[in-house]
Amino acid sequence: MVSTADNSAAPAHEVYPLGLRLAGRQVVVVGGGRVAARRVAGLLRAGARVRVVAPEVTAAVEGYVTAELVDWTARRYQPGDLADAWYAVAATDDPAANAAIAAEAETARVFCSRADDAAGSTAWTPAVGAHAGVTVSVLGSEAADPRRSAAVRDAVLEGLREGTLAAPRFRGRAPGVALVGGGPGDPDLITVRGRRLLAEADVVVADRLAPLGLLDELPADVEIVDASKIPYGRAMAQEEINRILVERAKAGKFVVRLKGGDPFVFGRGHEEVIACTEAGVPVTVVPGLTSAVAVPGLAGVPVTHRGVAHEFTVVSGHVAPDHPKSLVDWAALAQLRGTLVLLMAVERLGAIAAALLDGGKDPQTPVMVVQDGSRPGERTLRSTLASMAADVAGAGIVPPAIVVIGPVAGL
């Protein structure tokens, strides 16, 4: 039986995606314009032997020729130019020439991409991008807007780079520990690298003030270890945290130690680095956005401002000024004209205020207190040095909270 059906009316078939290994193989690109230049760049990255046939070429293609990366036949296409080609690109500005190139390719059983006519091509060029050993290629239907394919490619690559698209490695992933600063609490404020490493984790050891909302995005087989430390309440001992990090890493796991803020700003991060190093466990540090700067900024107060404050000092208030373990010179801090940022100080504000006032600090120095900065329950209180302790107690402010003392708090 002979079919006389019009092929143009036949239902379109799906494209069969395939990665071509062109290293060392001949590819012919006919045309020397901008489209050809883009194709040549990709083909060279694939290691192909590229020959360009065109009377004129762009400066980029000429640069490849000068560097002896590309052979150039300086004339228009002629039948036979595809001899020995494994793949051909028809990228001239003449549709008739492109059709002739495609016809020769069909006869020679060489796949051919026509830049001017997807329907006349036996191979389509996808929107391509690469990240961390993964190549992303996106193909739409024949009538699809190529910009949509590019947008999909970009979205996938962005997700891979930021870690919002989980794609953990299963081969060649080295065990070890990544000490990741998670920022002040809002999941959007973790660094791109921190989020990417979190998506790679086999084990996550997380603090209470870390961006815990990100843990819901992890696969079910990721082990989550709660290392929370509740003020004046339950707390996992630092020695136990160190033991878990080392033990899991030595068992061949990739461990992310997810902390709030920055690991080295009152986060005991260096203690964990020492524990891993002494045990022979590779450790990577990913800095985080410290709440000492981020939380006041999010609340509208800069820690420095031209003509107001030329320095800022970050102080831990976890021990009172008169405590024998205190390492802070409160009398010296009282003499500073800049900004004083207190962390872990809510329960000792009365003693801290007294020490600063005794050191000569103005009682009317502006103060701003932010509880749960960047988190859903954020609260802000403005006061003065003389009344901050009473005002904080009256407002029921509880940890975690950042206290900013200085002229910037009055802006």
Side-chain angles (χ1 to χ4, degrees):
M1 181 178 68
V2 177
S3 173
T4 59
D6 183 355
N7 288 336
S8 64
H13 295 287
E14 291 185 0
V15 174
Y16 184 77
L18 187 68
L20 296 181
R21 300 180 63 186
L22 295 174
R25 293 181 168 90
Q26 181 74 62
V27 176
V28 176
V29 177
V30 185
R34 288 179 297 175
V35 173
R38 292 173 59 185
R39 299 292 181 265
V40 168
L43 292 166
L44 289 176
R45 286 195 298 272
R49 293 189 296 113
V50 179
R51 181 162 69 94
V52 173
V53 179
E56 297 178 348
V57 296
T58 65
V61 174
E62 186 174 354
Y64 296 138
V65 174
T66 302
E68 298 184 348
L69 299 173
V70 169
D71 293 328
W72 178 24
T73 301
R75 58 165 171 75
R76 295 186 178 277
Y77 162 76
Q78 294 178 1
D81 279 342
L82 304 189
D84 300 324
W86 289 71
Y87 176 55
V89 177
T92 77
D93 56 5
D94 181 357
N98 289 339
I101 297 163
E104 179 181 344
E106 182 76 16
T107 301
R109 297 186 178 182
V110 173
F111 281 100
C112 178
S113 172
R114 282 187 63 174
D116 63 334
D117 183 7
S121 300
T122 52
W124 292 353
T125 303
V128 179
H131 172 72
V134 175
T135 298
V136 177
S137 299
V138 180
L139 284 170
S141 64
E142 184 173 313
D145 184 346
R147 290 178 297 179
R148 186 184 185 203
S149 296
V152 173
R153 172 205 59 196
D154 293 343
V156 172
L157 289 174
E158 181 179 5
L160 290 173
R161 289 167 182 151
E162 295 185 354
T164 55
L165 178 60
R169 295 179 179 87
F170 295 97
R171 295 181 181 178
R173 180 174 51 179
V177 173
L179 200 61
V180 175
D186 185 332
D188 285 343
L189 297 178
I190 191 173
T191 65
V192 171
R193 189 181 186 199
R195 190 157 191 168
R196 186 170 66 244
L197 291 179
L198 186 62
E200 298 274 345
D202 298 308
V203 181
V204 178
V205 181
D207 279 351
R208 179 176 68 97
L209 299 182
L212 301 181
L214 295 176
L215 302 183
D216 290 340
E217 301 176 3
L218 299 178
D221 61 346
V222 175
E223 180 187 3
I224 307 296
V225 178
D226 184 354
S228 298
K229 296 180 180 180
I230 309 298
Y232 315 106
R234 296 190 319 175
M236 179 179 285
Q238 186 63 50
E239 292 74 18
E240 177 64 7
I241 294 174
N242 296 348
R243 184 192 69 79
I244 291 172
L245 297 178
V246 171
E247 179 187 79
R248 300 300 195 275
K250 285 194 168 183
K253 305 292 186 180
F254 177 58
V255 185
V256 168
R257 174 70 171 108
L258 185 62
K259 305 170 76 71
D262 181 272
F264 288 173
V265 179
F266 307 133
R268 305 186 76 168
H270 196 57
E271 295 179 38
E272 295 166 355
V273 170
I274 292 172
C276 291
T277 302
E278 290 181 344
V281 172
V283 59
T284 299
V285 176
V286 181
L289 193 60
T290 174
S291 58
V293 175
V295 167
L298 291 169
V301 171
V303 293
T304 65
H305 187 67
R306 185 172 60 175
V308 178
H310 290 177
E311 84 276 352
F312 69 96
T313 305
V314 182
V315 182
S316 170
H318 73 289
V319 294
D322 59 353
H323 195 285
K325 291 187 177 180
S326 176
L327 302 176
V328 180
D329 188 341
W330 291 98
L333 291 179
Q335 298 301 311
L336 297 178
R337 299 176 61 184
T339 305
L340 187 61
V341 181
L342 308 180
L343 279 63
M344 301 179 287
V346 169
E347 301 294 334
R348 284 159 291 278
L349 285 183
I352 290 172
L356 293 173
L357 292 171
D358 289 345
K361 200 77 171 172
D362 184 350
Q364 297 306 306
T365 301
V367 172
M368 184 186 71
V369 183
V370 184
Q371 175 187 319
D372 289 318
S374 85
R375 299 170 183 269
E378 180 175 321
R379 301 171 60 197
T380 301
L381 170 73
R382 291 183 182 270
S383 182
T384 63
L385 180 60
S387 61
M388 69 175 182
D391 290 345
V392 164
I397 298 290
V398 296
I402 305 295
V403 181
V404 182
I405 302 172
V408 294
L411 294 177

